[in-house]
Amino acid sequence: MPRPINGVGPRRLDERVYDRTLRRLVLTPLMAQLRSGLSEASAASLALEIIDGVFRRWHTGGLVAEEVAAHSARLSGYHKRRLIQTFRTALGIDIRPRLLDSAIEPLMSAWRQENISLIRTVPERFHGALSQRVSETFAQQPFDQQALSKVLNREFKVSGSNLRRITRDQTSKAVGQFTHARHRQLGIQKYTWRTAEDERVRATHVALNGTRQSWDSGPGVGHPGSDILCRCVAIPVIEEADG
């Protein structure tokens, strides 16, 4: 029986680059506008007006969509190359003719739309959280610029963490979807569930580690990568592949 082939996970370096690029496009210019406007605030009420005005004027434009599209293309290409290399190394099989990009494009398109929608929630949540925090802070103390700066920095940090969470989760989901689709192209019906094998793995996924699953049914928790921030991968069971 052929030995299991290692799963194909997301390229972590590219994921970090993706996160930094989106932060530069989404949050950095917004933060710059807020700092510039809020430097003129002399009361909490005026600060709230400035915040509302900045968010009304600010938008992400087409640059975010371009970066999301670029990342999906990089991720798909990386996933495909790794899968080709894995089969060639382990079994001496060239699977390139079987991996048609047409099967991946609908997944990439849906992923891009979902990713853009989620990214757009980050400044929206930033707006709401910042306004609420300013109101709460200066309901209990006199208004001053130093306290305002602390509130702004704190909420910016939270927004950066939210964006990072989205990029990690969406990258893992994309890899899981690509794996499913490309296994199907190769006639692979089953896979072995493999976790990251560290303390962050969910208990339900720890129980699945090393078990054989079917793409047709799978466990009740879904396939690897479907849960939020899931880092598990599906290792193909090669004897189930046709050809």
Side-chain angles (χ1 to χ4, degrees), residues 80-109:
K80 183 177 182 179
R81 290 192 300 273
R82 283 289 304 273
L83 197 57
I84 290 170
Q85 180 183 0
T86 297
F87 272 77
R88 182 186 294 125
T89 300
L91 300 176
I93 297 175
D94 185 2
I95 60 173
R96 286 177 296 178
R98 307 278 295 279
L99 295 181
L100 303 178
D101 290 336
S102 58
I104 299 299
E105 180 50 39
L107 294 175
M108 292 175 63
S109 179

PDB file of all heavy atoms in Angstrom, residues 80-109:
ATOM      1  N   LYS A  80      -1.225  23.887  -6.219  1.00  0.00           N
ATOM      2  CA  LYS A  80      -1.112  23.002  -7.380  1.00  0.00           C
ATOM      3  C   LYS A  80       0.311  22.473  -7.528  1.00  0.00           C
ATOM      4  O   LYS A  80       0.518  21.273  -7.744  1.00  0.00           O
ATOM      5  CB  LYS A  80      -1.530  23.762  -8.640  1.00  0.00           C
ATOM      6  CG  LYS A  80      -1.535  22.924  -9.903  1.00  0.00           C
ATOM      7  CD  LYS A  80      -2.044  23.751 -11.075  1.00  0.00           C
ATOM      8  CE  LYS A  80      -2.103  22.933 -12.354  1.00  0.00           C
ATOM      9  NZ  LYS A  80      -2.635  23.750 -13.480  1.00  0.00           N
ATOM     10  N   ARG A  81       1.292  23.355  -7.406  1.00  0.00           N
ATOM     11  CA  ARG A  81       2.694  22.931  -7.540  1.00  0.00           C
ATOM     12  C   ARG A  81       3.077  21.927  -6.467  1.00  0.00           C
ATOM     13  O   ARG A  81       3.774  20.932  -6.742  1.00  0.00           O
ATOM     14  CB  ARG A  81       3.616  24.149  -7.471  1.00  0.00           C
ATOM     15  CG  ARG A  81       3.531  25.070  -8.678  1.00  0.00           C
ATOM     16  CD  ARG A  81       4.668  26.077  -8.681  1.00  0.00           C
ATOM     17  NE  ARG A  81       4.660  26.933  -7.501  1.00  0.00           N
ATOM     18  CZ  ARG A  81       3.978  28.062  -7.403  1.00  0.00           C
ATOM     19  NH1 ARG A  81       3.206  28.469  -8.401  1.00  0.00           N
ATOM     20  NH2 ARG A  81       4.048  28.802  -6.304  1.00  0.00           N
ATOM     21  N   ARG A  82       2.640  22.180  -5.235  1.00  0.00           N
ATOM     22  CA  ARG A  82       2.962  21.249  -4.148  1.00  0.00           C
ATOM     23  C   ARG A  82       2.342  19.887  -4.376  1.00  0.00           C
ATOM     24  O   ARG A  82       2.963  18.846  -4.110  1.00  0.00           O
ATOM     25  CB  ARG A  82       2.481  21.835  -2.811  1.00  0.00           C
ATOM     26  CG  ARG A  82       3.365  22.929  -2.249  1.00  0.00           C
ATOM     27  CD  ARG A  82       4.693  22.382  -1.728  1.00  0.00           C
ATOM     28  NE  ARG A  82       4.499  21.353  -0.728  1.00  0.00           N
ATOM     29  CZ  ARG A  82       4.338  21.594   0.571  1.00  0.00           C
ATOM     30  NH1 ARG A  82       4.326  22.839   1.011  1.00  0.00           N
ATOM     31  NH2 ARG A  82       4.173  20.608   1.419  1.00  0.00           N
ATOM     32  N   LEU A  83       1.109  19.865  -4.850  1.00  0.00           N
ATOM     33  CA  LEU A  83       0.434  18.596  -5.084  1.00  0.00           C
ATOM     34  C   LEU A  83       1.115  17.822  -6.209  1.00  0.00           C
ATOM     35  O   LEU A  83       1.311  16.606  -6.121  1.00  0.00           O
ATOM     36  CB  LEU A  83      -1.037  18.852  -5.421  1.00  0.00           C
ATOM     37  CG  LEU A  83      -1.998  17.664  -5.304  1.00  0.00           C
ATOM     38  CD1 LEU A  83      -1.967  17.075  -3.903  1.00  0.00           C
ATOM     39  CD2 LEU A  83      -3.420  18.098  -5.656  1.00  0.00           C
ATOM     40  N   ILE A  84       1.494  18.531  -7.273  1.00  0.00           N
ATOM     41  CA  ILE A  84       2.201  17.891  -8.391  1.00  0.00           C
ATOM     42  C   ILE A  84       3.531  17.306  -7.912  1.00  0.00           C
ATOM     43  O   ILE A  84       3.871  16.156  -8.219  1.00  0.00           O
ATOM     44  CB  ILE A  84       2.437  18.909  -9.518  1.00  0.00           C
ATOM     45  CG1 ILE A  84       1.113  19.264 -10.198  1.00  0.00           C
ATOM     46  CG2 ILE A  84       3.432  18.366 -10.546  1.00  0.00           C
ATOM     47  CD1 ILE A  84       1.204  20.428 -11.156  1.00  0.00           C
ATOM     48  N   GLN A  85       4.271  18.092  -7.149  1.00  0.00           N
ATOM     49  CA  GLN A  85       5.565  17.639  -6.644  1.00  0.00           C
ATOM     50  C   GLN A  85       5.425  16.445  -5.711  1.00  0.00           C
ATOM     51  O   GLN A  85       6.226  15.506  -5.753  1.00  0.00           O
ATOM     52  CB  GLN A  85       6.259  18.795  -5.917  1.00  0.00           C
ATOM     53  CG  GLN A  85       7.624  18.428  -5.342  1.00  0.00           C
ATOM     54  CD  GLN A  85       8.242  19.577  -4.573  1.00  0.00           C
ATOM     55  OE1 GLN A  85       7.650  20.651  -4.460  1.00  0.00           O
ATOM     56  NE2 GLN A  85       9.431  19.364  -4.037  1.00  0.00           N
ATOM     57  N   THR A  86       4.409  16.467  -4.874  1.00  0.00           N
ATOM     58  CA  THR A  86       4.200  15.379  -3.919  1.00  0.00           C
ATOM     59  C   THR A  86       3.945  14.063  -4.635  1.00  0.00           C
ATOM     60  O   THR A  86       4.537  13.028  -4.292  1.00  0.00           O
ATOM     61  CB  THR A  86       3.014  15.707  -2.996  1.00  0.00           C
ATOM     62  OG1 THR A  86       3.328  16.875  -2.238  1.00  0.00           O
ATOM     63  CG2 THR A  86       2.732  14.567  -2.043  1.00  0.00           C
ATOM     64  N   PHE A  87       3.071  14.062  -5.631  1.00  0.00           N
ATOM     65  CA  PHE A  87       2.780  12.836  -6.365  1.00  0.00           C
ATOM     66  C   PHE A  87       3.984  12.366  -7.174  1.00  0.00           C
ATOM     67  O   PHE A  87       4.239  11.164  -7.281  1.00  0.00           O
ATOM     68  CB  PHE A  87       1.576  13.049  -7.294  1.00  0.00           C
ATOM     69  CG  PHE A  87       0.255  12.777  -6.640  1.00  0.00           C
ATOM     70  CD1 PHE A  87      -0.310  13.692  -5.769  1.00  0.00           C
ATOM     71  CD2 PHE A  87      -0.418  11.586  -6.873  1.00  0.00           C
ATOM     72  CE1 PHE A  87      -1.517  13.435  -5.153  1.00  0.00           C
ATOM     73  CE2 PHE A  87      -1.629  11.325  -6.261  1.00  0.00           C
ATOM     74  CZ  PHE A  87      -2.187  12.251  -5.395  1.00  0.00           C
ATOM     75  N   ARG A  88       4.721  13.316  -7.751  1.00  0.00           N
ATOM     76  CA  ARG A  88       5.892  12.936  -8.540  1.00  0.00           C
ATOM     77  C   ARG A  88       6.961  12.305  -7.657  1.00  0.00           C
ATOM     78  O   ARG A  88       7.565  11.287  -8.018  1.00  0.00           O
ATOM     79  CB  ARG A  88       6.468  14.167  -9.251  1.00  0.00           C
ATOM     80  CG  ARG A  88       7.674  13.839 -10.133  1.00  0.00           C
ATOM     81  CD  ARG A  88       8.294  15.101 -10.707  1.00  0.00           C
ATOM     82  NE  ARG A  88       7.384  15.745 -11.639  1.00  0.00           N
ATOM     83  CZ  ARG A  88       7.004  17.006 -11.543  1.00  0.00           C
ATOM     84  NH1 ARG A  88       7.429  17.768 -10.535  1.00  0.00           N
ATOM     85  NH2 ARG A  88       6.194  17.527 -12.434  1.00  0.00           N
ATOM     86  N   THR A  89       7.181  12.898  -6.484  1.00  0.00           N
ATOM     87  CA  THR A  89       8.212  12.387  -5.578  1.00  0.00           C
ATOM     88  C   THR A  89       7.837  11.034  -4.988  1.00  0.00           C
ATOM     89  O   THR A  89       8.665  10.112  -4.917  1.00  0.00           O
ATOM     90  CB  THR A  89       8.453  13.396  -4.437  1.00  0.00           C
ATOM     91  OG1 THR A  89       8.887  14.637  -4.987  1.00  0.00           O
ATOM     92  CG2 THR A  89       9.508  12.878  -3.467  1.00  0.00           C
ATOM     93  N   ALA A  90       6.592  10.888  -4.555  1.00  0.00           N
ATOM     94  CA  ALA A  90       6.174   9.677  -3.855  1.00  0.00           C
ATOM     95  C   ALA A  90       5.883   8.517  -4.800  1.00  0.00           C
ATOM     96  O   ALA A  90       6.207   7.364  -4.486  1.00  0.00           O
ATOM     97  CB  ALA A  90       4.940   9.964  -3.010  1.00  0.00           C
ATOM     98  N   LEU A  91       5.286   8.808  -5.956  1.00  0.00           N
ATOM     99  CA  LEU A  91       4.816   7.727  -6.829  1.00  0.00           C
ATOM    100  C   LEU A  91       5.355   7.789  -8.250  1.00  0.00           C
ATOM    101  O   LEU A  91       5.104   6.879  -9.043  1.00  0.00           O
ATOM    102  CB  LEU A  91       3.280   7.731  -6.884  1.00  0.00           C
ATOM    103  CG  LEU A  91       2.550   7.540  -5.555  1.00  0.00           C
ATOM    104  CD1 LEU A  91       1.056   7.677  -5.757  1.00  0.00           C
ATOM    105  CD2 LEU A  91       2.886   6.184  -4.951  1.00  0.00           C
ATOM    106  N   GLY A  92       6.090   8.849  -8.575  1.00  0.00           N
ATOM    107  CA  GLY A  92       6.596   8.978  -9.931  1.00  0.00           C
ATOM    108  C   GLY A  92       5.496   9.238 -10.949  1.00  0.00           C
ATOM    109  O   GLY A  92       5.639   8.891 -12.132  1.00  0.00           O
ATOM    110  N   ILE A  93       4.401   9.850 -10.504  1.00  0.00           N
ATOM    111  CA  ILE A  93       3.247  10.101 -11.370  1.00  0.00           C
ATOM    112  C   ILE A  93       3.175  11.590 -11.699  1.00  0.00           C
ATOM    113  O   ILE A  93       3.313  12.429 -10.816  1.00  0.00           O
ATOM    114  CB  ILE A  93       1.936   9.662 -10.684  1.00  0.00           C
ATOM    115  CG1 ILE A  93       1.948   8.158 -10.426  1.00  0.00           C
ATOM    116  CG2 ILE A  93       0.726  10.047 -11.516  1.00  0.00           C
ATOM    117  CD1 ILE A  93       0.742   7.677  -9.632  1.00  0.00           C
ATOM    118  N   ASP A  94       2.958  11.904 -12.980  1.00  0.00           N
ATOM    119  CA  ASP A  94       2.757  13.283 -13.395  1.00  0.00           C
ATOM    120  C   ASP A  94       1.258  13.536 -13.482  1.00  0.00           C
ATOM    121  O   ASP A  94       0.578  13.028 -14.376  1.00  0.00           O
ATOM    122  CB  ASP A  94       3.407  13.530 -14.757  1.00  0.00           C
ATOM    123  CG  ASP A  94       3.322  15.000 -15.182  1.00  0.00           C
ATOM    124  OD1 ASP A  94       2.790  15.807 -14.382  1.00  0.00           O
ATOM    125  OD2 ASP A  94       3.780  15.327 -16.294  1.00  0.00           O
ATOM    126  N   ILE A  95       0.738  14.316 -12.529  1.00  0.00           N
ATOM    127  CA  ILE A  95      -0.701  14.545 -12.472  1.00  0.00           C
ATOM    128  C   ILE A  95      -1.116  15.864 -13.119  1.00  0.00           C
ATOM    129  O   ILE A  95      -2.290  16.232 -13.080  1.00  0.00           O
ATOM    130  CB  ILE A  95      -1.201  14.522 -11.008  1.00  0.00           C
ATOM    131  CG1 ILE A  95      -0.511  15.623 -10.192  1.00  0.00           C
ATOM    132  CG2 ILE A  95      -0.992  13.153 -10.378  1.00  0.00           C
ATOM    133  CD1 ILE A  95      -1.070  15.783  -8.786  1.00  0.00           C
ATOM    134  N   ARG A  96      -0.166  16.554 -13.747  1.00  0.00           N
ATOM    135  CA  ARG A  96      -0.488  17.857 -14.326  1.00  0.00           C
ATOM    136  C   ARG A  96      -1.645  17.816 -15.327  1.00  0.00           C
ATOM    137  O   ARG A  96      -2.504  18.718 -15.298  1.00  0.00           O
ATOM    138  CB  ARG A  96       0.761  18.465 -14.975  1.00  0.00           C
ATOM    139  CG  ARG A  96       1.778  18.996 -13.983  1.00  0.00           C
ATOM    140  CD  ARG A  96       3.008  19.519 -14.683  1.00  0.00           C
ATOM    141  NE  ARG A  96       3.717  18.433 -15.390  1.00  0.00           N
ATOM    142  CZ  ARG A  96       4.810  18.619 -16.120  1.00  0.00           C
ATOM    143  NH1 ARG A  96       5.308  19.841 -16.261  1.00  0.00           N
ATOM    144  NH2 ARG A  96       5.392  17.606 -16.700  1.00  0.00           N
ATOM    145  N   PRO A  97      -1.709  16.807 -16.212  1.00  0.00           N
ATOM    146  CA  PRO A  97      -2.832  16.793 -17.163  1.00  0.00           C
ATOM    147  C   PRO A  97      -4.203  16.643 -16.496  1.00  0.00           C
ATOM    148  O   PRO A  97      -5.228  16.975 -17.093  1.00  0.00           O
ATOM    149  CB  PRO A  97      -2.518  15.577 -18.043  1.00  0.00           C
ATOM    150  CG  PRO A  97      -1.050  15.368 -17.919  1.00  0.00           C
ATOM    151  CD  PRO A  97      -0.745  15.722 -16.499  1.00  0.00           C
ATOM    152  N   ARG A  98      -4.218  16.145 -15.272  1.00  0.00           N
ATOM    153  CA  ARG A  98      -5.485  15.904 -14.575  1.00  0.00           C
ATOM    154  C   ARG A  98      -5.965  17.108 -13.778  1.00  0.00           C
ATOM    155  O   ARG A  98      -7.144  17.184 -13.412  1.00  0.00           O
ATOM    156  CB  ARG A  98      -5.322  14.715 -13.613  1.00  0.00           C
ATOM    157  CG  ARG A  98      -4.771  13.445 -14.233  1.00  0.00           C
ATOM    158  CD  ARG A  98      -5.865  12.666 -14.918  1.00  0.00           C
ATOM    159  NE  ARG A  98      -6.839  12.196 -13.960  1.00  0.00           N
ATOM    160  CZ  ARG A  98      -6.686  11.099 -13.206  1.00  0.00           C
ATOM    161  NH1 ARG A  98      -5.576  10.364 -13.292  1.00  0.00           N
ATOM    162  NH2 ARG A  98      -7.643  10.726 -12.387  1.00  0.00           N
ATOM    163  N   LEU A  99      -5.062  18.045 -13.498  1.00  0.00           N
ATOM    164  CA  LEU A  99      -5.407  19.188 -12.647  1.00  0.00           C
ATOM    165  C   LEU A  99      -5.843  20.376 -13.502  1.00  0.00           C
ATOM    166  O   LEU A  99      -5.055  21.259 -13.834  1.00  0.00           O
ATOM    167  CB  LEU A  99      -4.218  19.576 -11.760  1.00  0.00           C
ATOM    168  CG  LEU A  99      -3.785  18.547 -10.724  1.00  0.00           C
ATOM    169  CD1 LEU A  99      -2.620  19.070  -9.906  1.00  0.00           C
ATOM    170  CD2 LEU A  99      -4.943  18.177  -9.812  1.00  0.00           C
ATOM    171  N   LEU A 100      -7.100  20.395 -13.867  1.00  0.00           N
ATOM    172  CA  LEU A 100      -7.639  21.464 -14.704  1.00  0.00           C
ATOM    173  C   LEU A 100      -8.003  22.667 -13.845  1.00  0.00           C
ATOM    174  O   LEU A 100      -8.753  22.557 -12.880  1.00  0.00           O
ATOM    175  CB  LEU A 100      -8.867  20.956 -15.452  1.00  0.00           C
ATOM    176  CG  LEU A 100      -8.663  19.719 -16.336  1.00  0.00           C
ATOM    177  CD1 LEU A 100      -9.978  19.300 -16.972  1.00  0.00           C
ATOM    178  CD2 LEU A 100      -7.603  19.977 -17.390  1.00  0.00           C
ATOM    179  N   ASP A 101      -7.483  23.830 -14.196  1.00  0.00           N
ATOM    180  CA  ASP A 101      -7.752  25.041 -13.428  1.00  0.00           C
ATOM    181  C   ASP A 101      -9.216  25.449 -13.496  1.00  0.00           C
ATOM    182  O   ASP A 101      -9.700  26.191 -12.637  1.00  0.00           O
ATOM    183  CB  ASP A 101      -6.875  26.183 -13.938  1.00  0.00           C
ATOM    184  CG  ASP A 101      -5.408  25.974 -13.596  1.00  0.00           C
ATOM    185  OD1 ASP A 101      -5.126  25.250 -12.619  1.00  0.00           O
ATOM    186  OD2 ASP A 101      -4.553  26.533 -14.300  1.00  0.00           O
ATOM    187  N   SER A 102      -9.928  24.972 -14.512  1.00  0.00           N
ATOM    188  CA  SER A 102     -11.343  25.327 -14.649  1.00  0.00           C
ATOM    189  C   SER A 102     -12.169  24.851 -13.461  1.00  0.00           C
ATOM    190  O   SER A 102     -13.193  25.444 -13.124  1.00  0.00           O
ATOM    191  CB  SER A 102     -11.911  24.734 -15.941  1.00  0.00           C
ATOM    192  OG  SER A 102     -11.756  23.320 -15.963  1.00  0.00           O
ATOM    193  N   ALA A 103     -11.716  23.775 -12.802  1.00  0.00           N
ATOM    194  CA  ALA A 103     -12.443  23.263 -11.636  1.00  0.00           C
ATOM    195  C   ALA A 103     -12.201  24.119 -10.399  1.00  0.00           C
ATOM    196  O   ALA A 103     -12.981  24.084  -9.450  1.00  0.00           O
ATOM    197  CB  ALA A 103     -12.026  21.822 -11.351  1.00  0.00           C
ATOM    198  N   ILE A 104     -11.114  24.890 -10.399  1.00  0.00           N
ATOM    199  CA  ILE A 104     -10.756  25.702  -9.248  1.00  0.00           C
ATOM    200  C   ILE A 104     -11.298  27.118  -9.360  1.00  0.00           C
ATOM    201  O   ILE A 104     -11.600  27.766  -8.364  1.00  0.00           O
ATOM    202  CB  ILE A 104      -9.219  25.734  -9.090  1.00  0.00           C
ATOM    203  CG1 ILE A 104      -8.693  24.324  -8.870  1.00  0.00           C
ATOM    204  CG2 ILE A 104      -8.798  26.632  -7.934  1.00  0.00           C
ATOM    205  CD1 ILE A 104      -9.219  23.650  -7.629  1.00  0.00           C
ATOM    206  N   GLU A 105     -11.465  27.617 -10.565  1.00  0.00           N
ATOM    207  CA  GLU A 105     -11.861  29.015 -10.753  1.00  0.00           C
ATOM    208  C   GLU A 105     -13.171  29.383 -10.050  1.00  0.00           C
ATOM    209  O   GLU A 105     -13.246  30.449  -9.414  1.00  0.00           O
ATOM    210  CB  GLU A 105     -11.956  29.347 -12.238  1.00  0.00           C
ATOM    211  CG  GLU A 105     -12.368  30.782 -12.526  1.00  0.00           C
ATOM    212  CD  GLU A 105     -11.568  31.824 -11.769  1.00  0.00           C
ATOM    213  OE1 GLU A 105     -10.332  31.643 -11.624  1.00  0.00           O
ATOM    214  OE2 GLU A 105     -12.167  32.795 -11.293  1.00  0.00           O
ATOM    215  N   PRO A 106     -14.233  28.556 -10.110  1.00  0.00           N
ATOM    216  CA  PRO A 106     -15.449  28.928  -9.365  1.00  0.00           C
ATOM    217  C   PRO A 106     -15.200  29.056  -7.866  1.00  0.00           C
ATOM    218  O   PRO A 106     -15.780  29.931  -7.210  1.00  0.00           O
ATOM    219  CB  PRO A 106     -16.418  27.778  -9.674  1.00  0.00           C
ATOM    220  CG  PRO A 106     -15.945  27.220 -10.976  1.00  0.00           C
ATOM    221  CD  PRO A 106     -14.456  27.338 -10.929  1.00  0.00           C
ATOM    222  N   LEU A 107     -14.351  28.195  -7.322  1.00  0.00           N
ATOM    223  CA  LEU A 107     -14.011  28.276  -5.903  1.00  0.00           C
ATOM    224  C   LEU A 107     -13.237  29.557  -5.613  1.00  0.00           C
ATOM    225  O   LEU A 107     -13.481  30.228  -4.612  1.00  0.00           O
ATOM    226  CB  LEU A 107     -13.171  27.064  -5.492  1.00  0.00           C
ATOM    227  CG  LEU A 107     -13.848  25.698  -5.547  1.00  0.00           C
ATOM    228  CD1 LEU A 107     -12.835  24.606  -5.224  1.00  0.00           C
ATOM    229  CD2 LEU A 107     -15.007  25.647  -4.566  1.00  0.00           C
ATOM    230  N   MET A 108     -12.298  29.880  -6.497  1.00  0.00           N
ATOM    231  CA  MET A 108     -11.504  31.092  -6.314  1.00  0.00           C
ATOM    232  C   MET A 108     -12.394  32.333  -6.373  1.00  0.00           C
ATOM    233  O   MET A 108     -12.229  33.270  -5.587  1.00  0.00           O
ATOM    234  CB  MET A 108     -10.416  31.167  -7.380  1.00  0.00           C
ATOM    235  CG  MET A 108      -9.336  30.114  -7.242  1.00  0.00           C
ATOM    236  SD  MET A 108      -8.148  30.162  -8.617  1.00  0.00           S
ATOM    237  CE  MET A 108      -7.424  31.781  -8.407  1.00  0.00           C
ATOM    238  N   SER A 109     -13.340  32.346  -7.309  1.00  0.00           N
ATOM    239  CA  SER A 109     -14.236  33.493  -7.450  1.00  0.00           C
ATOM    240  C   SER A 109     -15.095  33.680  -6.209  1.00  0.00           C
ATOM    241  O   SER A 109     -15.222  34.799  -5.689  1.00  0.00           O
ATOM    242  CB  SER A 109     -15.126  33.304  -8.682  1.00  0.00           C
ATOM    243  OG  SER A 109     -16.021  34.387  -8.820  1.00  0.00           O
TER     244      SER A 109
END
